[in-house]
């Protein structure tokens, strides 16, 4: 049983900034198995206690309902919710009925805008045509599917349990159920992956007809099974030069198919951008509900207790399950604003920069990593490969 906080942190007054997008992030902490590269706040059945611990989907949902009620009361008159993102973990383990209950709980306490984007992540092996039909009936508008690769040996290295073709069929099932917006996640740079492995995966995503692709370089996170294998020299660490080449290959293939980058790791057809994630990158606000979820409203950022049992225990006393919080000062907010906005194809407004930063930006433009587009600074193709370095050079 996890150690419970003696007293949850008490959030200061939260004043949503007027005019900023407002979203909800819901964290589902359950997975059937643990992937070797994953360090997310997720738990398999073997890692959780019995039903009495509260660490079950039913106990989680009861806690979520309480947290949403407390959140709505704390915010007072909250702005209409423009985006909802149910992530994890594996939300699809709840089934369509469970995910419909999540949306019902949200609607009970929050007003949704008429064009709200409602997304859930899903692992292909826990989906079906009936699952997608149920999601559409419940009001979900977007699905994000974890594919990672179509190469069996790459999936094995990542400890993914779905068959190579299942994500593609799931994408088609979602489209047939009426979803106009379907995302596929890819990971590139896995040990043993070839350029052709990656391109076959990209081509398969394109052929499945999705309107959005997210592609992430494999990162070896401390404490994961993958990190232990790399440390024991059972697998090589990802190579930076290989990662850069793979990024260029997938970008070229996606762009040729009409999916253009709009954030360094995200490509979409026109209108297919993930509005919820754009809220994160462009200064929006959101309440994060669920174990370990993060929220940000009115300059205050907080994070919940991580273990599902601790989450359930705090909420059983009708207290917000906040582990801690921080109030961002102007300097920290500025750094984060620059760091996030520079990653967007929409560009970084030069008006956000101080005089010294504009001078440094001019030098970065001369180096060919940024281009000036009116009053905006936009990463070049080479700049996208070095986005973190661009941010460091801007903010030095």
């Amino acid at each position: 049983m996890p150690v419970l906080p003696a007293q949850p942190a008490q959030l200061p007054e939260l004043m949503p900034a007027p005019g900023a997008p407002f979203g909800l992030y819901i964290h589902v902490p359950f997975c059937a198995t643990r992937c070797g590269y994953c360090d997310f706040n997720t738990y398999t059945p073997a890692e959780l206690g019995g039903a009495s611990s509260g660490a079950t989907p039913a106990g989680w949902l009861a806690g979520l309902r309480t947290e949403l009620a407390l959140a709505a009361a704390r915010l007072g008159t909250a702005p209409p919710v423009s985006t909802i993102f149910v992530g994890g973990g594996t939300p699809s383990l709840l089934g369509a009925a469970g995910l419909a209950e999540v949306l019902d709980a949200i609607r009970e306490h929050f007003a949704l805008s008429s064009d709200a984007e409602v997304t859930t992540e899903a692992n292909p092996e826990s989906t079906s045509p009936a699952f997608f039909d149920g999601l559409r009936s419940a009001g979900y508008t977007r699905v994000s599917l974890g594919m990672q690769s179509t190469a069996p040996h790459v999936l094995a290295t990542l400890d993914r349990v779905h068959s190579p073709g299942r994500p593609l069929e799931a994408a088609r099932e979602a489209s047939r159920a009426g979803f106009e917006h379907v995302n596929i996640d890819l990971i590139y740079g896995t040990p043993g992956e070839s350029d052709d492995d990656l391109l076959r995966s990209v081509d398969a995503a394109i052929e499945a007809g999705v309107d959005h692709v997210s592609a992430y370089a494999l990162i070896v996170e401390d404490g994961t099974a993958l990190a232990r294998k790399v440390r024991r020299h059972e697998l090589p660490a990802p190579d930076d030069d290989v990662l850069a080449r793979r990024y260029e290959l997938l970008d070229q293939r996606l762009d040729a198919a009409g999916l253009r980058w709009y954030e360094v790791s995200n490509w979409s057809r026109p209108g297919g951008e993930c509005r919820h994630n754009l809220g994160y990158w462009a200064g929006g606000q959101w309440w994060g509900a669920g174990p370990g979820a993060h929220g940000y409203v009115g300059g205050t950022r907080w994070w919940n207790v991580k273990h599902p049992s601790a989450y359930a225990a705090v909420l059983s006393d009708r207290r917000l399950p906040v582990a801690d919080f921080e109030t961002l000062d102007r300097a920290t907010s500025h750094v984060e604003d620059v760091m996030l906005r520079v990653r967007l194809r929409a560009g970084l407004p030069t008006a956000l920069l101080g005089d010294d930063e504009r001078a440094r930006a001019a030098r970065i433009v001369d180096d060919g990593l940024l281009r000036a587009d009116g009053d905006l600074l936009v990463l070049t193709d080479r700049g996208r490969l070095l986005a973190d370095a661009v941010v460091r050079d801007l903010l030095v």
Side-chain angles (χ1 to χ4, degrees), residues 67-79:
E67 184 181 3
L68 290 172
L70 294 172
R74 188 59 186 271
L75 289 169
T77 305

Side-chain angles (χ1 to χ4, degrees), residues 19 27 32 40 71 74 106 151 182 201 226 235 242 293 334 361 368:
H27 188 71
F40 293 170
R74 188 59 186 271
I106 291 171
V182 180
S201 298
L226 178 63
L235 291 172
V242 171
H334 174 71

Side-chain angles (χ1 to χ4, degrees), residues 348-362:
L348 171 68
T350 55
L352 293 179
L353 302 178
D355 291 342
D356 290 346
E357 291 168 337
R358 292 182 193 182
R360 290 194 289 269

Side-chain angles (χ1 to χ4, degrees), residues 185-203:
D185 278 348
L186 297 174
I187 287 178
Y188 60 93
T190 301
E193 178 193 62
S194 68
D195 290 352
D196 285 344
D197 289 332
L198 173 65
L199 290 175
R200 280 192 288 269
S201 298
V202 174
D203 287 344

Side-chain angles (χ1 to χ4, degrees), residues 261-315:
W261 79 279
Y262 70 94
E263 191 273 341
V264 168
S265 298
N266 290 273
W267 292 257
S268 77
R269 301 189 188 282
E273 299 86 353
C274 178
R275 288 166 44 203
H276 185 85
N277 286 343
L278 280 171
Y280 293 152
W281 298 318
Q285 305 173 104
W286 69 95
W287 189 284
H294 287 58
Y296 177 74
V297 173
T300 296
R301 178 165 53 213
W302 70 92
W303 46 97
N304 282 349
V305 297
K306 296 182 72 171
H307 198 281
S309 295
Y311 176 78
V314 174
L315 284 162

Side-chain angles (χ1 to χ4, degrees), residues 18 45 67 71 151 172 181 224 232 259 287 289 303 311 326 374:
E67 184 181 3
R172 296 185 183 101
H181 303 302
T224 62
R232 294 193 298 259
L259 288 100
W287 189 284
W303 46 97
Y311 176 78
E326 59 182 339

Side-chain angles (χ1 to χ4, degrees), residues 15-76:
M15 296 293 293
F22 181 73
L24 291 174
Y25 172 73
I26 309 296
H27 188 71
V28 181
F30 307 109
C31 279
T33 61
R34 181 172 295 281
C35 299
Y37 60 91
C38 178
D39 73 337
F40 293 170
N41 186 45
T42 63
Y43 303 85
T44 65
E47 295 167 340
L48 294 172
S52 61
S53 71
T56 64
W60 168 84
L61 183 58
L64 177 69
R65 289 184 179 278
T66 301
E67 184 181 3
L68 290 172
L70 294 172
R74 188 59 186 271
L75 289 169

